[in-house]
Amino acid sequence: MAESRIAVRKTYKLYIGGAFPRSESGRSYVVSAADGTPFANAPRASRKDLRDAVRAARAAAAPWADRTAMNRGQILYRVAELMEGRRTQFIEEVGAAEGVRAPRAGTLVDRSIDRWVWYAGWADKIAQVLGSVNPVGAPYFNFTIPEPTGVVGIVAPETSSLLGFVSRVAPALAGGNVVVVLASESRPLPAVTLTEVLGTSDVPPGVVNLLTGLRRELVPVMAAHGDVDSLDTWGVPPELQESVEIAAAEDITRILRRPARVSDARFDWTDDRAAERPEWIAAHLEMKTVWHPIGI
Amino acid sequence: MGDGQAIPWEYAPAPESREVVKLRERYGLFIGGRWVSASDGETFQTIDPSTEEPLAEVARGTAADMDRAVRAARAAFRRRWGDLPGRERAKYLFRIARILQERSREFAVLESMDSGKPIRESRDVDVPLAAAHFWYYAGWADKLDYAFPGRVARPLGVAGQIIPWNFPLLMLAWKIAPAVAAGNTVVLKPASTTPLTALLFADVCQQADLPPGVVNIVPGPGDVGMALVRNPGVDKIAFTGSTEIGRRIAAGVAGSDKALTLELGGKAANIVFDDAPLDQAVEGIVNGIYFNQGEVCCAGSRLLVQESVAEALIGKLKDRLATIRVGDPLDKNTDVGAINSRAQLEKITELVAAGVAEGAELYQPACDLPDRGYFFRPTLFTNVAQSHRIAREEIFGPVLSVLTFRTPEEAVEKANNTPYGLSAGIWTDKGSRILAMVRRMKAGVVWANTFNRFDPTSPFGGYKESGYGREGGRHGLHAYVRLEDR
């Protein structure tokens, strides 16, 4: 290889409704590698971008929820297949973003792929685990089925650029929801690369929408948005948590909080016991109970 | 008949005796297993809404009293209750269920006196269901290991619970039974217009020898409830009431680690297709909106009728309305009792006036209302548009708004066109259509060919702005536990 070759750099973009736009605001911010070297410009999404993303998500919500559970599971598994094919690229990017050496980055990427597979398999089982037939004291057939809440807003973990991101997004999708995710502010790039995988997978446009940008700017807008049905606040900085929940209270948005006494920075995403939880699927589900008389 | 003509024959009055209830002149707060006065000695009066006569003086809790109650609950949780074997907790709950059954008449009469609901409903619905809730959750207390596969269920600690005035005893049971079964202790704030059955329930706790502090009851107005919400010693808040207050409560726990479940308002669509058994549907519609004077969060307050049967159905409904008996809640023949409070009566009156002003067509049967007390005629509005206030706002009274539709798509769109999503009804003979509609309704409870059914094993709760979390069933238990790894 000739040493004089100049590498082709990538312009990182948002992912909204299956397309890869820059921010409508024309703004970007500098993302640095873990050692502080400026690395790339990431789009600094605006509130308008966020509203566009929610609109794209809403349009995709009903068709995604209406697919058969097995089909959703297959589509999610397909993402893992494609991630495996880009394993080397992910290892490089996670290593650069998080400042870890290749073996550690390799573990984080492998776990991300495996986690995706774990949640993919839940798609057609969660209804059986959480649903029920209820023995009411009268002649009625009475059953309870889980349904997706709709549009889930996710503030992804700040430190774990890929594994943390996958661990928050996959449970919402497995439950049949669509998502608008705010990537880690300081380490957004592996998530952006994941959207390139999603864009070429079978995940329908609008099911996952990714924004990069400043949390203090976007989180309050996401929390107050009337068309966000459920909110995963894992990556919300502690100083914003209260105001976010107050904003979400206005239209009774569901909230999935980071567990008490768990810090975002310290959480070990490679601990499968701690990070693979059907409760995180359940948090974005509604239970629908149906009554019908029994008789001839 | 029809056209609101009074029925040509009369029932003899059949009043239930009040003798079974021994009202005290004054009730205290129930904290740590004892009766105490409010910290500032204040009291308030609770009245019989059917006569406007005072029933009793009740101690009015303060923020300091809430704190006292939370500390008593915390002490009981630490000292004994949280670690008590589930098998033993279960026995206390079974005892409570039995005592409620044994004293059912007393509870039913007192409930009707304090809330205004007909004795027929308190006797046949509220009290038996309340007992059934304790019975159902009693059996979970020693089976928590089987409830959540792969997980250990731990109690949250102290649960603060705020309940509304429409089903005072039943809502108490919905709140206390699962909480206590899972090993939590509770501080309950009953509604300020209906504290008496909760205070009588304190007596049941004493009879059952429930350890002091496991159940604490502090009546008072809304700001006392907010003091409970904000109290740092509380681990979980459960609220049933309006969406407006639900917002304030959700904001009140913001930034804390408190768990929260909300059961809020509703504006349920009751959808009748042209192949529905119309006579059966009429009974379901009547039960859906006039049950408990319509003071039901899941009431079927929007009737959506397929256009081809609208005229026939509305005719039958008007005939049926003419036979509804409004009056003394303690009369066993009464269908619709008293509205719970003057304030609620005024709200209903205002919204009905808005319906008339906005151009909907009012129908009320020409029945006599008692001279005293808060009564409102069963009301039916036709020519209602989606934009009318009576089609959008929760009225919480015996007021039905009738809209029509032509296709199932239109029915779904109209039904879901509301910020609420608590309940819905579907009437049709076609099973596949029921299931298709069920899937598309954004509502937590869907009644097909029936309405307003409840059961302790059946999860209840809303979508959208009707709140989050479920009560009843295994799902209701989930709201009172923290799941840990095995």
Side-chain angles (χ1 to χ4, degrees), chain A residues 66 129-132 134-138 140 142-149 229 241-243 245-246 249-255 257-261 273-274 276-279 282 286-293, chain B residues 149 151 243 246-247 250-251 253-259 262 264 434-435 438-450 453-455 457-465 467-468 470 474-475 483-486:
Chain A
D66 285 344
V129 172
L130 296 184
S132 61
N134 311 306
V136 295
Y140 292 91
N142 179 287
F143 59 97
T144 300
I145 40 172
E147 291 188 345
T149 305
D229 302 309
Q241 186 74 29
E242 184 173 350
S243 62
E245 290 188 29
I246 288 173
E250 186 54 32
D251 56 341
I252 318 291
T253 302
R254 284 88 179 110
I255 293 180
R257 293 184 189 137
R258 197 166 63 228
R261 296 176 295 279
R273 293 285 290 168
E276 294 185 336
R277 303 191 76 88
E279 294 94 285
E286 293 288 356
M287 294 295 154
K288 178 179 277 176
T289 298
V290 184
W291 294 67
H292 193 281
Chain B
R151 294 282 187 264
T243 295
R247 282 191 181 101
V253 305
S256 73
D257 292 329
K258 286 173 194 157
L262 300 172
L264 309 177
I434 289 171
L435 295 176
V438 159
R439 181 177 282 192
R440 295 161 74 188
M441 306 299 293
K442 297 279 183 207
V445 182
V446 183
W447 288 289
N449 293 324
T450 184
R453 302 279 162 192
F454 309 95
D455 191 276
T457 68
S458 178
F460 180 93
Y463 281 42
K464 302 197 282 186
E465 292 187 18
Y468 36 74
R470 293 293 178 267
R474 186 174 57 83
H475 301 82
L483 300 181
E484 294 178 354
D485 292 335
R486 229 171 247 295

Side-chain angles (χ1 to χ4, degrees), chain A residues 53 57 150-154 169 172-173 177-181 206-210:
Chain A
V151 176
V152 177
I154 298 175
V169 171
L173 296 178
N177 295 285
V178 296
V179 302
V180 175
V181 204
V207 169
V208 178
N209 303 278
L210 178 94

Side-chain angles (χ1 to χ4, degrees), chain A:
Chain A
M1 180 97 46
E3 283 191 6
S4 59
R5 183 175 183 278
I6 306 291
V8 177
R9 287 184 183 165
K10 180 162 88 180
T11 299
Y12 290 86
K13 297 195 185 181
L14 307 176
Y15 183 55
I16 297 174
F20 295 91
R22 297 192 187 92
S23 169
E24 62 80 33
S25 66
R27 299 177 304 175
S28 65
Y29 69 109
V30 176
V31 174
S32 302
D35 63 6
T37 331
F39 199 74
N41 294 314
R44 185 175 150 192
S46 65
R47 41 179 70 210
K48 171 76 163 64
D49 291 320
L50 195 145
R51 288 197 292 266
D52 290 347
V54 173
R55 194 175 304 122
R58 175 60 65 197
W64 179 243
D66 285 344
R67 282 172 187 267
T68 66
M70 183 191 179
N71 183 233
R72 277 202 309 267
Q74 280 181 298
I75 291 173
L76 295 186
Y77 180 78
R78 174 77 179 152
V79 175
E81 288 179 350
L82 298 190
M83 285 178 81
E84 190 81 42
R86 292 225 208 181
R87 189 170 168 273
T88 316
Q89 182 191 356
F90 276 119
I91 290 172
E92 263 178 43
E93 292 198 5
V94 168
E98 301 189 14
V100 295
R101 291 179 189 282
R104 170 71 180 162
T107 303
L108 295 174
V109 172
D110 290 347
R111 284 299 176 80
S112 303
I113 298 169
D114 293 355
R115 186 140 304 152
W116 202 275
V117 173
W118 195 79
Y119 279 109
W122 267 116
D124 55 1
K125 291 160 198 74
I126 194 74
Q128 289 179 306
V129 172
L130 296 184
S132 61
V133 173
N134 311 306
V136 295
Y140 292 91
F141 183 58
N142 179 287
F143 59 97
T144 300
I145 40 172
E147 291 188 345
T149 305
V151 176
V152 177
I154 298 175
V155 184
E158 185 57 25
T159 45
S160 184
S161 61
L162 184 68
L163 180 54
F165 183 90
V166 168
S167 302
R168 305 316 302 169
V169 171
L173 296 178
N177 295 285
V178 296
V179 302
V180 175
V181 204
L182 185 53
S184 162
E185 181 175 319
S186 58
R187 302 168 170 182
L189 303 186
V192 174
T193 300
L194 181 59
T195 63
E196 293 163 10
V197 169
L198 295 170
T200 53
S201 74
D202 300 327
V203 176
V207 169
V208 178
N209 303 278
L210 178 94
L211 303 170
T212 57
L214 309 189
R215 289 190 301 186
R216 65 179 151 74
E217 199 170 89
L218 296 172
V219 170
V221 183
M222 182 186 270
H225 197 296
D227 216 19
V228 170
D229 302 309
S230 184
L231 200 62
D232 178 344
T233 66
W234 188 286
V236 170
E239 70 275 11
L240 282 184
Q241 186 74 29
E242 184 173 350
S243 62
V244 159
E245 290 188 29
I246 288 173
E250 186 54 32
D251 56 341
I252 318 291
T253 302
R254 284 88 179 110
I255 293 180
L256 171 53
R257 293 184 189 137
R258 197 166 63 228
R261 296 176 295 279
V262 169
S263 86
D264 181 19
R266 291 253 181 93
F267 190 79
D268 180 8
W269 292 100
T270 63
D271 178 355
D272 291 341
R273 293 285 290 168
E276 294 185 336
R277 303 191 76 88
E279 294 94 285
W280 290 340
I281 307 176
H284 304 299
L285 296 178
E286 293 288 356
M287 294 295 154
K288 178 179 277 176
T289 298
V290 184
W291 294 67
H292 193 281
I294 293 173
I296 296 177

